[in-house]
Amino acid sequence: MTIPRRSWRAAGTLAAASVVGLTGAVLAASPAAAHTPTWAVTCTDVTLDLTAYNSDVANTVTVTVDGKDLLPTETFGREFHKKLVLPRHDKELTVHLVVKAGDGANYSKDDEKTSPVCDDYTPTPTPTPSVTKTTEAPVEAPKPSATPSQSSSEAAPAAASPSSSPDLAETGSSSSTPIIGGAAVAVLLAGGGIMWSVRKRRTAQH
């Protein structure tokens, strides 16, 4: 049995087309499967594991929490691994991941996840600012000594205490003694004058 050449050519063309199509599918699927942006969110942290990226281009990653940067835009190559600590919170947080692949926007990732509230979370009370008033300490007056000093007791003269002994009898040294003495002298002088005048008269009569 002889197979016509046209049939061989047709079969060869079909096989070649199949090989080319399969190779193109593998090449097309390979880059998509290579970029692996894996990440996880808990109540306390965010874990990033970005693998199999093109190291010949600049890839970037950014993480925000409720619109605020948790990880500012950072450039990486083939891989990126990092664990980010979330702030303590008493309500759910929205965590937003943006990965931009340098070899094509179709390999980039834009995703959001929710961070739940931890069961053991207790909000920290906001401290009330205290106003410090500067006051001058009052100057205390020196306290008087409980016991008088020895020098003051020696300097102060002792007060004379009244005598408790009975009054003594008056002697000749009382205040009336000069008056009595003067009167006695006057009497003696007067008596002497009288005696002198009497004798003179008797002498004159004889």
Side-chain angles (χ1 to χ4, degrees):
M1 180 177 179
T2 303
I3 300 174
R5 291 182 178 179
R6 291 182 180 179
S7 298
W8 283 108
R9 291 177 181 176
T13 302
L14 181 60
S18 299
V19 171
V20 171
L22 181 60
T23 303
V26 171
L27 293 176
S30 179
H35 299 75
T36 309
T38 303
W39 70 307
V41 177
T42 66
C43 68
T44 58
D45 51 59
V46 178
T47 304
L48 301 175
D49 290 300
L50 312 178
T51 59
Y53 278 80
N54 189 349
S55 60
D56 296 331
V57 296
N59 308 299
T60 61
V61 56
T62 306
V63 179
T64 59
V65 177
D66 287 346
K68 298 179 181 179
D69 284 343
L70 182 64
L71 174 67
T73 302
E74 193 166 332
T75 304
F76 67 97
R78 181 175 177 80
E79 296 182 356
F80 184 86
H81 303 279
K82 200 159 193 176
K83 188 172 185 179
L84 308 173
V85 178
L86 289 169
R88 300 185 68 180
H89 51 281
D90 56 0
K91 63 179 181 179
E92 293 183 346
L93 299 178
T94 300
V95 185
H96 187 194
L97 170 69
V98 177
V99 180
K100 292 183 179 180
D103 52 357
N106 55 321
Y107 306 133
S108 300
K109 186 177 184 65
D110 191 323
D111 194 12
E112 285 187 355
K113 290 186 179 182
T114 301
S115 171
V117 179
C118 295
D119 294 336
D120 58 348
Y121 173 76
T122 53
T124 304
T126 304
T128 303
S130 58
V131 179
T132 304
K133 296 182 179 180
T134 305
T135 56
E136 295 182 358
V139 179
E140 296 184 359
K143 296 182 179 180
S145 176
T147 58
S149 61
Q150 185 177 359
S151 59
S152 61
S153 62
E154 291 178 356
S161 59
S163 175
S164 60
S165 59
D167 294 339
L168 299 175
E170 290 187 359
T171 61
S173 61
S174 64
S175 59
S176 60
T177 301
I179 299 175
I180 298 172
V185 171
V187 170
L188 290 174
L189 291 175
I194 293 173
M195 290 293 293
W196 180 77
S197 59
V198 170
R199 285 181 181 179
K200 189 176 182 181
R201 287 180 181 178
R202 287 180 179 176
T203 304
Q205 289 178 359
H206 291 289

